């Protein structure tokens, strides 16, 4: 598997470049609906996977609002194409291979540090912004099972609109899902789908 860089200054440099240079050119504004954060907890951020920008929003959220060191799980084939992502916190996962378990163990190792955040796209693939039902990959169950007790799980339902001009407004809608050790996967899937539908209706 491909591991993320250990150089925090490099990840922060990417974040500053993106937030100060790229985002103002591409987006009108980014609005974040925040949730209470649990002190001394790492964060497992689950997010709907709708575009190329998903990881960039995750990095922005980690450093600007959650105050955590950013990490992101990416399909190995995609990370090989965009290898520079590893220098902003991305690491690989390869489905249907022995490396899958290595990636899961690496994820839980990162989450054992309360200063860290890991972004995962629980659907495992790109889906339309207008998809209401969130289907969770089985690998997420293993991550939740192995995650430390002091790991807070947050869902991010990103929504976008162009109501105000040529550049879109991005809204980051957060939902506190509780501690990883207390989560039931079936209940979580229903909870995320309900929240996703609610945020879509709110946007419309």
């Amino acid at each position: 598997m491909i591991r993320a860089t250990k150089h925090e200054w490099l990840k922060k440099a990417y974040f500053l470049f993106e937030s100060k240079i790229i985002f103002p050119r591409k987006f009108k504004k980014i609005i974040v609906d925040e949730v209470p954060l649990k002190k001394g907890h790492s964060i497992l951020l689950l997010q709907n996977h709708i575009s190329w920008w998903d990881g960039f929003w995750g990095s922005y959220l980690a450093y600007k609002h959650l105050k955590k060191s950013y990490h992101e799980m990416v399909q190995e084939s995609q990370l090989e194409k965009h290898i520079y992502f590893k220098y902003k916190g991305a690491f690989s996962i390869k489905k249907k291979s022995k490396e899958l378990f290595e990636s899961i163990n690496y994820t839980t190792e990162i989450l054992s540090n309360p200063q860290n955040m890991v972004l995962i796209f629980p659907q495992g693939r790109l889906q339309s912004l207008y998809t209401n039902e969130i289907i969770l990959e089985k690998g997420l169950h293993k991550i939740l099972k192995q995650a430390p007790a002091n790991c807070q799980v947050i869902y991010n339902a990103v929504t976008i609109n162009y109501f105000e001009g040529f550049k879109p407004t991005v809204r980051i809608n957060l939902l506190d899902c509780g501690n990883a050790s207390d989560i039931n996967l079936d209940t979580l899937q229903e909870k995320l789908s309900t929240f996703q539908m609610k945020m879509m209706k709110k946007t419309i």
Side-chain angles (χ1 to χ4, degrees), residues 100-137:
L100 173 67
F101 299 101
E102 185 180 355
S103 296
I104 290 173
N105 291 336
Y106 182 60
T107 302
T108 54
E109 179 186 329
I110 294 171
L111 291 172
S112 67
N113 185 341
Q115 300 300 318
N116 290 337
M117 186 204 87
V118 176
L119 169 63
I120 292 179
F121 304 109
Q123 306 102 308
R125 59 189 175 86
L126 279 167
Q127 289 186 310
S128 168
L129 170 64
Y130 305 103
T131 300
N132 289 326
E133 187 177 14
I134 304 297
I135 305 296
L136 305 179
E137 290 277 305

Side-chain angles (χ1 to χ4, degrees), residues 23-131:
F23 283 4
R25 294 181 180 181
K26 298 295 183 180
F27 308 113
K28 183 175 180 63
K29 57 184 174 181
I30 299 176
I31 303 170
V32 179
D33 290 341
E34 302 190 39
V35 293
L37 301 179
K38 298 182 178 181
K39 189 175 181 180
H41 283 58
S42 58
I43 294 176
L44 176 60
L45 182 70
L46 309 178
Q47 183 175 302
N48 58 333
H49 196 10
I50 60 173
S51 77
W52 160 264
W53 293 105
D54 294 337
F56 295 88
W57 295 327
S59 175
Y60 173 82
L61 186 59
Y63 288 113
K64 181 74 174 178
H65 295 273
L66 303 179
K67 308 302 181 183
K68 300 290 184 182
S69 176
Y70 178 70
H71 302 80
E72 175 191 355
M73 180 185 283
V74 178
Q75 288 292 336
E76 188 166 296
S77 59
Q78 290 300 310
L79 189 51
E80 288 174 341
K81 291 179 183 177
H82 307 285
I83 195 62
Y84 59 91
F85 279 176
K86 68 171 286 185
Y87 299 110
K88 63 190 300 291
F91 62 93
S92 71
I93 185 169
K94 190 174 183 180
K95 296 180 181 179
K96 299 179 181 180
S97 75
K98 293 181 180 179
E99 289 184 19
L100 173 67
F101 299 101
E102 185 180 355
S103 296
I104 290 173
N105 291 336
Y106 182 60
T107 302
T108 54
E109 179 186 329
I110 294 171
L111 291 172
S112 67
N113 185 341
Q115 300 300 318
N116 290 337
M117 186 204 87
V118 176
L119 169 63
I120 292 179
F121 304 109
Q123 306 102 308
R125 59 189 175 86
L126 279 167
Q127 289 186 310
S128 168
L129 170 64
Y130 305 103
T131 300

Side-chain angles (χ1 to χ4, degrees), residues 95-203:
K95 296 180 181 179
K96 299 179 181 180
S97 75
K98 293 181 180 179
E99 289 184 19
L100 173 67
F101 299 101
E102 185 180 355
S103 296
I104 290 173
N105 291 336
Y106 182 60
T107 302
T108 54
E109 179 186 329
I110 294 171
L111 291 172
S112 67
N113 185 341
Q115 300 300 318
N116 290 337
M117 186 204 87
V118 176
L119 169 63
I120 292 179
F121 304 109
Q123 306 102 308
R125 59 189 175 86
L126 279 167
Q127 289 186 310
S128 168
L129 170 64
Y130 305 103
T131 300
N132 289 326
E133 187 177 14
I134 304 297
I135 305 296
L136 305 179
E137 290 277 305
K138 292 181 179 178
L140 179 60
H141 174 73
K142 293 183 175 66
I143 293 173
L144 292 173
K145 189 175 180 179
Q146 291 183 203
N150 61 330
C151 174
Q152 182 178 6
V153 180
I154 297 175
Y155 181 64
N156 178 18
V158 179
T159 54
I160 303 172
N161 74 59
Y162 287 82
F163 296 154
E164 302 174 29
F166 291 106
K167 293 192 292 186
T169 292
V170 178
R171 191 172 200 105
I172 292 175
N173 308 280
L174 300 181
L175 173 68
D176 179 15
C177 301
N179 283 11
S181 56
D182 299 329
I183 291 176
N184 174 277
L185 202 62
D186 292 333
T187 304
L188 179 64
Q189 182 165 293
E190 182 179 348
K191 189 174 185 177
L192 299 192
S193 295
T194 301
F195 183 71
Q196 181 75 27
M197 188 178 300
K198 182 180 177 180
M199 292 305 103
M200 285 305 305
K201 289 180 178 178
K202 180 179 176 181
T203 301

